[in-house]
Every structure is written in C-alpha cells, then in structure tokens.
C-alpha cells in the first residue's frame, strides 16, 4: 500500500471570467429596450387620450361582448370535448373504415383555417335554405351565433380528439397488463387507471387549446356576432379612435393571462404527487 508523503500546495483561485457582449446579446438587449420604450410611450399616450365619455358609452358594451366571447368559447369547448371522445376512439380503432372516417374528420378540421370553416357553414348552409327548411334546420342555421357555435365545436373537437388520443396512447402498456392481472374489466381499467393518467398528460394541451379558441373567436365578428371584437369594430366605426382596439387587446390579454395562471395552479395541484 502506498502512502502520500507530500501534499499539493494550495493553488490560487482561477481568474474571474470577463463578461463580453456578443452581437446577438447586443441586438437582443436593443430590441428589449425598444419594446420597453414603446410600451411606456403607449401607456403615456393612452393616459393622455383617456376620454371618460367614451369609456362610459362603450365600456359596458365591451364587457357584454367579452361575455359573449367567453360564452361562445365555453359552450363550444364543452360540446367539442364530448364529441372528441368517440372521434379519439375512432382514431384508435382497429376497424379500417371507422379509423379512416375519424382520420378524415381530424385531417380536414385541423388542416383548414377556422375562418374558412365558419364561412362554409354560415354562407354555405345559407345557400340551401329550401332544403334546410324542409328538414326543419333552417331556424338553426339562419342565426350567425348558432353557425359560429357549430363551426367552433367541430373545429375544437378535432384538436381535442388528437390531444385525447395522444394522452391515452402515452400511458404505458404495463398499466393495462397490471389492471388485467388485478381482474379489472376494460371499462374499469380505462376509468380508474388509464384516464386519470392520460388527463394529466393532456392538461397543458387542453389549456393551450382553450387559449387558442379564445383568441380565434375574434373572427365571429365578421359574421355579425357582437362578441368583444364585434363591439370593438362597432365602437371604432362610430369614433374612429383606434385605441378601442388597444383596449380590446388588453381585455383579451387579461382573460388569457388569468386562464394561464388558473391552469398553472390546477396543473401544480394535480401533479403534486409526481414531484420529488
């Protein structure tokens, strides 16, 4: 066995590294500075242009429009969630016909713009008034609100179906085998084991889908639905003051930020057992 007779003398600390700005860091800092200056200038301009008469006249209409937006998105998200379940299982089906139909549905509604789908339903079904009256559906499709709700539901159902399918397939096969070893039926396995784990995986994508639907809902103003953007367009057409759009953007930002924080708290709550 060898023994150490001499120790290495203490060495001086390494010299501190000198921070040097790179070109990209300088560019990024410059852009950030411009954004800050622009934001301060915008706030100062809004304070200077504040008109209490416009606020009292159009403020309540903006709030009513925001309620219309949240109602439309909330109902379409809920109906889309119900519709997405059979579509997701159709995508996972071993039956070629069923899986092909589900794939075609998802492919179409995810591959085409939401505004095009809204126009196809609002203007397209309007071209078949006599046929719709014959089957008693014209009363539904003549209302722009119903057309928007129908288009949004079909669109979000396609996205939610893919979210649900991916979440279910992310659960390992061992979970199914363990449940079978315990004597659980397929329905019990899905309800008690697979679905709770899948929903944790799907939680964040579902939040993103809701946020995207809230922002995308602004297109319904084109088909005469007076949501938040519809009320904003009406206010601008009467005042020609573009700060109405700024306040609309602020309201959208507040709603999205509130939803993001709520979703973050919900995610932290549901995944607390996964943290070490």
């Amino acid at each position: 066995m060898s023994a150490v007779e001499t120790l290495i003398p203490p060495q001086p600390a390494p010299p501190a590294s000198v921070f040097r700005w790179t070109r990209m860091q300088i560019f990024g800092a410059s852009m950030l500075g411009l954004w800050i200056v622009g934001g301060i200038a915008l706030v100062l301009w809004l304070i200077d242009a504040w008109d209490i008469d416009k606020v009292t006249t159009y403020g309540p209409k903006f709030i009513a429009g925001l309620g219309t937006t949240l109602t439309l998105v909330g109902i379409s998200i809920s109906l889309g969630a119900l519709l997405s379940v059979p579509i997701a299982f159709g995508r996972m089906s071993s039956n070629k016909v069923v899986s092909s139909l589900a794939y075609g549905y998802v492919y179409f509604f995810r591959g085409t713009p939401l505004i095009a789908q809204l126009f196809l339903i609002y203007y397209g079904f309007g071209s078949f008034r006599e046929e719709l009256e014959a089957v008693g559906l014209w009363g539904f499709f003549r209302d722009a609100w119903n057309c928007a709700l129908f288009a949004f539901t079909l669109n979000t159902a396609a996205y939610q179906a893919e979210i649900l399918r991916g979440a279910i397939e992310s659960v390992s096969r061992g979970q199914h085998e363990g449940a079978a070893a315990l004597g659980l039926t397929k329905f019990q396995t899905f309800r008690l084991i697979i679905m709770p784990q899948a929903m944790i995986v799907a939680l964040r994508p579902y939040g993103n889908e809701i946020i995207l639907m809230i922002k995308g809902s602004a297109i319904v103003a084109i088909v005469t639905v007076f949501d938040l953007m519809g009320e904003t367009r009406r206010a601008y057409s009467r005042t020609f003051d573009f700060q109405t759009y700024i306040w609309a953007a602020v309201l959208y930002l507040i709603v999205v930020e509130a939803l993001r924080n709520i979703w973050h708290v919900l995610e932290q709550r549901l995944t607390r057992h996964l943290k070490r």
Side-chain angles (χ1 to χ4, degrees):
M1 178 180 292
S2 61
V4 177
E5 297 180 354
T6 58
L7 298 177
I8 300 176
Q11 303 294 318
S17 58
V18 179
F19 178 77
R20 295 181 180 178
W21 286 85
T22 64
R23 291 183 179 179
M24 291 303 298
Q25 288 174 329
I26 295 173
F27 177 76
S30 302
M31 294 301 298
L32 179 61
L34 289 175
W35 276 104
I36 293 174
V37 171
I40 295 174
L42 179 61
V43 170
L44 294 176
W45 180 84
L46 288 174
I47 293 174
D48 181 66
W50 179 265
D51 189 343
I52 191 63
D53 292 333
K54 292 179 182 177
V55 173
T56 55
T57 302
Y58 298 106
K61 295 181 180 180
F62 273 45
I63 299 301
L66 179 60
T68 301
T69 296
L70 296 179
T71 302
L72 177 63
V73 172
I75 297 176
S76 61
I77 286 289
S78 301
L79 295 177
L82 296 176
L83 183 59
S84 69
V85 175
I87 297 173
F89 280 101
R91 290 278 285 117
M92 295 184 292
S93 175
S94 57
N95 187 306
K96 295 294 184 182
V97 176
V98 174
S99 62
S100 298
L101 290 174
Y103 175 79
Y105 176 91
V106 172
Y107 183 84
F108 174 79
F109 283 99
R110 293 183 70 202
T112 56
L114 178 57
I115 189 172
Q117 298 164 19
L118 178 60
F119 283 174
L120 284 173
I121 293 173
Y122 181 69
Y123 295 112
F125 280 95
S127 303
F128 300 94
R129 176 174 179 174
E130 295 181 358
E131 291 80 1
L132 292 174
E133 286 179 341
V135 295
L137 292 177
W138 174 245
F140 178 86
F141 286 104
R142 71 180 179 182
D143 192 330
W145 163 270
N146 295 334
C147 291
L149 179 62
F150 188 58
F152 280 26
T153 299
L154 294 180
N155 180 271
T156 189
Y159 284 92
Q160 292 188 53
E162 284 299 280
I163 293 172
L164 183 59
R165 180 183 68 86
I168 292 174
E169 291 182 346
S170 69
V171 179
S172 65
R173 186 64 187 170
Q175 301 291 326
H176 296 267
E177 296 171 352
L182 293 173
L184 299 179
T185 63
K186 289 185 177 180
F187 178 75
Q188 290 175 327
T189 301
F190 178 78
R191 183 174 65 90
L192 299 175
I193 298 177
I194 305 303
M195 201 59 182
Q197 298 181 64
M199 291 311 297
I200 291 177
V201 176
L203 187 61
R204 184 169 295 181
Y206 269 122
N208 293 337
E209 173 62 14
I210 297 174
I211 289 174
L212 289 174
M213 287 298 296
I214 290 175
K215 294 188 291 186
S217 66
I219 65 173
V220 299
I222 303 176
V223 293
T224 69
V225 176
F226 287 102
D227 66 330
L228 176 55
M229 186 54 64
E231 293 292 352
T232 303
R233 294 179 64 192
R234 180 157 60 178
Y236 179 77
S237 67
R238 296 176 179 178
T239 63
F240 296 101
D241 188 351
F242 82 92
Q243 70 172 306
T244 55
Y245 286 104
I246 297 177
W247 291 119
V250 170
L251 287 176
Y252 277 114
L253 182 62
I254 292 173
V255 171
V256 170
E257 187 63 18
L259 180 61
R260 188 188 67 81
N261 283 278
I262 292 172
W263 221 255
H264 177 72
V265 172
L266 182 62
E267 184 179 11
Q268 294 293 320
R269 177 73 176 173
L270 294 178
T271 60
R272 64 187 184 277
H273 64 285
L274 300 176
K275 294 185 171 125
R276 296 181 181 178

